[in-house]
Amino acid sequence: MSVWQQWLGYFSGERCRREKRLLIELALMLLMALVVGVYFLEHFSSRLEAQQREQLQALAHQTALRATESLASDDLIGLNVIARETQAMAPVASVRFLNTARETVTGSEPEPGLVSVEVPVALPDGELAGSVVLAAPAPLKPRQHLEAGFLLVVVGLLLLRVAAELIRRRLQRAPPAPAVPAGEEAAAPAFRRVAEAPVAPPAPVTELRLSVVNFDHFEQRYTRGALQALLADYRDLLSQVATLYGGEVVAQVGGRARVRFSAEPLSASAFSALCAGLLFLRVARLQGPRRKSNRAPALEFKALISSQFDDTESWALCVAGVPGRLHVPDTELTRAELDVKALYQSERALVVASGERQVRLQPVEQLAHRYQTLLRTQAERVMGAGDSGEGETGEGDNGDGDNGEEGTSSPSR
C-alpha cells in the first residue's frame, strides 16, 4: 500500500469522525490567520509605499534645487553628474530630467509599478525650467521576509494546537495519583506552604532615554551607511557607560535609545541611571573637538530618566527636553531620593503636557560636589587617556547611597 493510500486510510471512516472537531478547529484557525495576514501585509505594503514616496519627495526637491542652472542651460554633463550622485542613494532607483515640453533630457523611464514622484524645477524668477522624476526600487525583500515569517508563525500555531490536544489526551489516559499514606499526611501541609510561598517582586527599574537633537535632519541628509558610521562612536560610548553602571542597553542611539537599570531599592537604580546619563552627556560633549578635527559632525543629546512612564510617554518627555541637559520628573526627585544627590534650580523646570496631565521636568545641573572628582576619572576612562576638563556634571558610584549634606543648589521646597 502506498503512502498516499495509508494517509487517506488514516483520515477516513471512524477516525476522521473522531477527529472532526479538531480538524474544524484547525481549519478555522488557518482561515482566521490568512484573513489577518492578508490585511496586515497589505497595510504594511501601503505604509512602505508612503514612506518611499516621502523620502523620494524630499530627495526630489534637493535634486531640483541642484539642477536648476544645468537644466536651464541644457548642461547635459552637469545633469548626468547630478543624476548619477542622486541615483547612488539607497532610496532611489532611477533619475530622469524633463524639459518644459515634457521631453526627456537625460535619464531613463522607471519600470512600471514602481513608486515615483515628479517635482518641478523652477528658476529664481519663478519660470519653469523643467522637472525631475525620481523612482524608488521595488520593495521585495521586506515583503518577502514578512510573508515567510508570517507563514512560520501560522504553522507553529497549528503545531502547538495539535501538541496541546495530544498532551490533553495523554493526561486523560494517565492513571490516578496514589493516595497519600496516613503517616505522610502531616507533612503534606508543610510542603504546600513551601510550594505556595509568595514569589519575591522584581527589583525596581529606572530607564535612561537619549534622543539626538535634529535627528530627522541627519536621516534626510545621510545615507543609511553614512548614518550608521556617524552614530558608531556614540553607540560605543553608551555601551561603555551602561556597562560601567550595570545597565542594559535595550535600544541604541538613533533608535529611541533606552538603557534599563534594575536594582534594589529604587534609589539605587535611579542613581545609577542619573550617573550614567550625566556621564554620557559629558563624554559626548568631549567628543565634539575630536570629531570636528576629523571633519565629522558632533551630535547633541537630550536625556531623561524615569521609572513611572511607559516607552512612548517617556520618549515624548525626553524629546521635549532641553538639548545638552538631563531631565528628571519633579515627583521622582524625592521619590527616588535624588534631591539630596543632584544640584538643580527648581525655577528652571519645564512644564510638559503628557496626555491629560502636566509633568514638571527638572533639568539636573550636576551631582553633589563629593561625586565630581569621580566623574572626571570615569570620563577619562571612557574617553581614554587625557584631560577631561571641568565639566558641568558630577558623578558618583552605585555603592554610595547615603544622604549627603549637600542638597539642591536652590530648591524651592
Side-chain angles (χ1 to χ4, degrees), residues 72-379:
S73 59
D74 293 332
D75 183 8
L76 293 181
I77 296 178
L79 291 177
N80 287 330
V81 170
I82 295 173
R84 185 166 57 253
E85 293 177 352
T86 304
Q87 192 168 351
M89 299 181 180
V92 182
S94 64
V95 181
R96 185 161 62 110
F97 289 99
L98 306 176
N99 56 19
T100 54
R102 310 270 321 154
E103 297 176 347
T104 301
V105 178
T106 183
S108 58
E109 294 188 4
E111 299 180 4
L114 296 181
V115 178
S116 62
V117 297
E118 181 176 350
V119 173
V121 178
L123 296 175
D125 57 0
E127 185 180 355
L128 290 179
S131 59
V132 57
V133 180
L134 300 186
L140 296 179
K141 290 186 177 180
R143 174 70 181 255
Q144 291 175 349
H145 292 169
L146 193 61
E147 290 176 351
F150 176 74
L151 180 61
L152 291 177
V153 170
V154 172
V155 174
L157 289 176
L158 295 178
L159 292 178
L160 284 176
R161 180 64 188 91
V162 174
E165 181 67 19
L166 294 177
I167 293 174
R168 185 186 66 81
R169 294 180 182 181
R170 187 177 183 87
L171 292 177
Q172 286 179 347
R173 293 196 300 265
V180 179
E184 299 180 4
E185 291 180 356
F191 174 77
R192 285 196 294 269
R193 285 197 299 270
V194 174
E196 297 172 0
V199 180
V205 174
T206 304
E207 290 187 342
L208 167 66
R209 308 305 302 268
L210 294 165
S211 65
V212 182
V213 178
N214 295 329
F215 186 67
D216 294 341
H217 168 73
F218 291 103
E219 280 189 311
Q220 295 177 3
R221 183 178 177 184
Y222 289 81
T223 60
R224 180 175 302 177
L227 186 61
Q228 296 299 320
L230 177 66
L231 299 173
D233 291 342
Y234 295 99
R235 290 179 173 178
D236 182 61
L237 288 177
L238 182 59
S239 298
Q240 295 182 52
V241 171
T243 302
L244 186 62
Y245 287 99
E248 176 190 0
V249 179
V250 180
Q252 264 291 0
V253 175
R256 294 193 172 190
R258 181 157 57 112
V259 185
R260 181 178 296 131
F261 297 87
S262 178
E264 183 74 36
L266 174 62
S267 59
S269 63
F271 189 53
S272 297
L274 180 67
C275 294
L278 292 175
L279 180 59
F280 178 81
L281 292 179
R282 182 185 182 93
V283 295
R285 284 194 298 269
L286 295 176
Q287 278 277 8
R290 298 185 183 182
R291 294 180 66 85
K292 290 179 180 178
S293 63
N294 295 330
R295 296 184 178 180
L299 302 183
E300 195 173 10
F301 295 87
K302 301 176 183 178
L304 173 90
I305 66 168
S306 175
S307 60
Q308 60 180 349
F309 298 101
D310 58 19
D311 177 50
T312 303
E313 196 169 11
S314 63
W315 178 253
L317 292 175
C318 178
V319 174
V322 177
R325 292 293 184 189
L326 185 143
H327 295 80
V328 184
D330 193 64
T331 56
E332 297 195 29
L333 281 173
T334 53
R335 177 170 171 262
E337 301 178 9
L338 298 178
D339 53 342
V340 296
K341 303 173 184 177
L343 303 181
Y344 59 93
Q345 296 178 352
S346 57
E347 65 272 11
R348 299 178 61 182
L350 303 176
V351 179
V352 180
S354 178
E356 298 181 354
R357 57 176 173 171
Q358 290 185 337
V359 180
R360 282 173 55 89
L361 298 181
Q362 192 65 245
V364 175
E365 303 292 338
Q366 60 185 29
L367 294 179
H369 296 292
R370 64 182 180 276
Y371 304 122
Q372 295 181 17
T373 301
L374 186 55
L375 169 69
R376 291 191 291 269
T377 303
Q378 291 171 335

Side-chain angles (χ1 to χ4, degrees), residues 21-72:
R21 182 185 62 82
L22 179 60
L23 293 176
I24 293 177
E25 185 176 346
L26 293 176
L28 291 176
M29 289 177 60
L30 180 60
L31 179 61
M32 184 180 300
L34 290 177
V35 172
V36 174
V38 170
Y39 170 77
F40 280 105
L41 285 176
E42 293 301 324
H43 183 65
F44 171 78
S45 298
S46 61
R47 290 189 61 183
L48 186 61
E49 181 177 342
Q51 184 180 5
Q52 284 183 325
R53 192 175 301 278
E54 183 178 354
Q55 292 177 346
L56 285 179
Q57 194 75 21
L59 290 174
H61 281 292
Q62 295 180 0
T63 305
L65 292 176
R66 294 180 56 192
T68 300
E69 296 182 0
S70 299
L71 187 61

